[in-house]
Amino acid sequence: MAKWERFEEDCLQYLRREYGSSRIQKTGGVNAQYADIMVVKPNGSFFIESKCPSAQCGQFVLMPNEQARRFEYSPLNQTPRFQATEAIISAMDSDFDRFANAGTAGQEIGISPPAAFDWVKQYYATKGVKYFISRSEKTGGYAIAPLDRLDHYFSIAAIYREKKSGSRNPSAKHIPLLKDLLSANGVSANIQTAGGKTEVESPARLDKAKMPHDSGITFYFRATRVADTYRTTILSNTRNSNVIFSIQLIAEQDESDLQRFEREVNS
């Protein structure tokens, strides 16, 4: 299990202990299109996003147009084009050569923290997120931050760099390929699929193993909390240049914000 997955599970269990397991549900996981945790309410549910003290916090693809010397919003983006997006593109257009050659090392985008937070707030609002939850590395205490108060709890940075696209869950057509691949590598295994996720149960040591298939796809295995069971995904072979936002927790819990959260949960 990855560090962020353990952290998300810790946040989930903390919220369940404090506010009741029946109303706090896990919803996100590896699919970034959905927020991590749902607070179930009869008069309107909402979501909580769990974030490690240092974490990425949203991204979108910009493609450099060398001929026009400007950056273009990729049609592959599933993120809406916010007003803050235009400010970021304008800043990058004004220094086109530096950003067009950012590569995998990346170049920091010199936009103001309010502009960067504006993008993050709008992005998570579209996902129904009302709060973030994080935990101090110094004290171990949890901090629940209202979305409109993120800039009180976190510092923020934006960078433009080339990166591989994220992993994805295998579809039904990939399962026979996975079976053949495991067999060809002498791995005895039981493959289980549920809720769009695939897990492999095997006595073999598969944690963090990468297995390329002749079709061009690569399967990746990560250990779960269940013994001899591995979450299986497909690694992407594509690279895009992304504007990536990162946050760092800088403040402890503000009591008035916690009271605000508790009122909303309990109302």
Side-chain angles (χ1 to χ4, degrees):
M1 181 179 288
K3 177 182 177 181
W4 66 265
E5 290 178 299
R6 291 194 297 271
F7 184 82
E8 180 182 317
E9 183 65 22
D10 289 344
C11 290
L12 175 71
Q13 295 308 322
Y14 167 77
L15 290 168
R16 283 180 166 172
R17 288 194 305 270
E18 294 294 319
Y19 304 105
S21 58
S22 62
R23 71 178 68 183
I24 307 294
Q25 297 184 4
K26 183 175 181 178
T27 54
V30 297
N31 193 336
Q33 296 304 310
Y34 301 97
D36 298 330
I37 299 167
M38 176 187 283
V39 178
V40 180
K41 296 178 59 180
N43 60 341
S45 301
F46 63 89
F47 294 93
I48 304 170
E49 185 75 11
S50 65
K51 288 295 181 186
C52 294
S54 297
Q56 289 189 11
C57 196
Q59 62 186 2
F60 60 92
V61 178
L62 289 182
M63 307 302 295
N65 184 325
E66 297 285 351
Q67 184 174 2
R69 296 185 60 78
R70 66 169 182 261
F71 290 90
E72 297 177 346
Y73 195 74
S74 171
L76 299 178
N77 284 316
Q78 297 183 2
T79 305
R81 188 166 179 165
F82 307 120
Q83 185 174 359
T85 309
E86 308 307 319
I88 293 167
I89 294 174
S90 178
M92 292 176 59
D93 285 347
S94 66
D95 200 356
F96 180 83
D97 289 332
R98 180 166 72 92
F99 290 110
N101 295 289
T104 56
Q107 290 287 340
E108 188 170 348
I109 305 170
I111 59 171
S112 68
F117 273 117
D118 189 38
W119 188 94
V120 169
K121 291 174 184 179
Q122 290 183 75
Y123 170 62
Y124 281 96
T126 66
K127 299 168 68 173
V129 172
K130 287 193 173 183
Y131 294 89
F132 274 36
I133 182 170
S134 190
R135 186 173 57 201
S136 171
E137 292 180 318
K138 292 182 179 180
T139 67
Y142 287 91
I144 299 175
L147 186 63
D148 59 9
R149 291 257 296 157
L150 289 186
D151 44 352
H152 171 79
Y153 288 89
F154 297 92
S155 61
I156 193 167
I159 190 172
Y160 181 70
R161 70 176 177 90
E162 183 181 287
K163 61 172 287 189
K164 274 192 173 184
S165 300
S167 61
R168 68 185 191 276
N169 294 320
S171 64
K173 69 179 181 181
H174 296 123
I175 303 305
L177 304 182
L178 177 59
K179 289 180 179 178
D180 291 343
L181 186 61
L182 290 169
S183 178
N185 283 274
V187 177
S188 60
N190 177 34
I191 300 173
Q192 301 177 355
T193 60
K197 300 179 181 180
T198 298
E199 291 184 346
V200 169
E201 183 181 357
S202 173
R205 300 181 67 177
L206 296 176
D207 190 33
K208 299 182 182 179
K210 299 177 183 178
M211 289 190 184
H213 189 271
D214 291 341
S215 64
I217 63 175
T218 299
F219 291 96
Y220 181 61
F221 304 85
R222 286 301 301 267
T224 68
R225 292 190 174 184
V226 180
D228 298 329
T229 302
Y230 303 89
R231 177 71 186 280
T232 308
T233 55
I234 294 175
L235 297 179
S236 172
N237 293 320
T238 61
R239 289 184 179 271
N240 288 310
S241 293
N242 295 257
V243 173
I244 304 168
F245 298 89
S246 298
I247 56 174
Q248 174 79 42
L249 186 67
I250 58 172
E252 303 291 337
Q253 180 70 69
D254 183 290
E255 190 61 29
S256 62
D257 289 333
L258 182 60
Q259 292 172 359
R260 173 180 168 183
F261 172 74
E262 291 177 340
R263 285 195 300 269
E264 188 154 12
V265 169
N266 295 321
S267 63

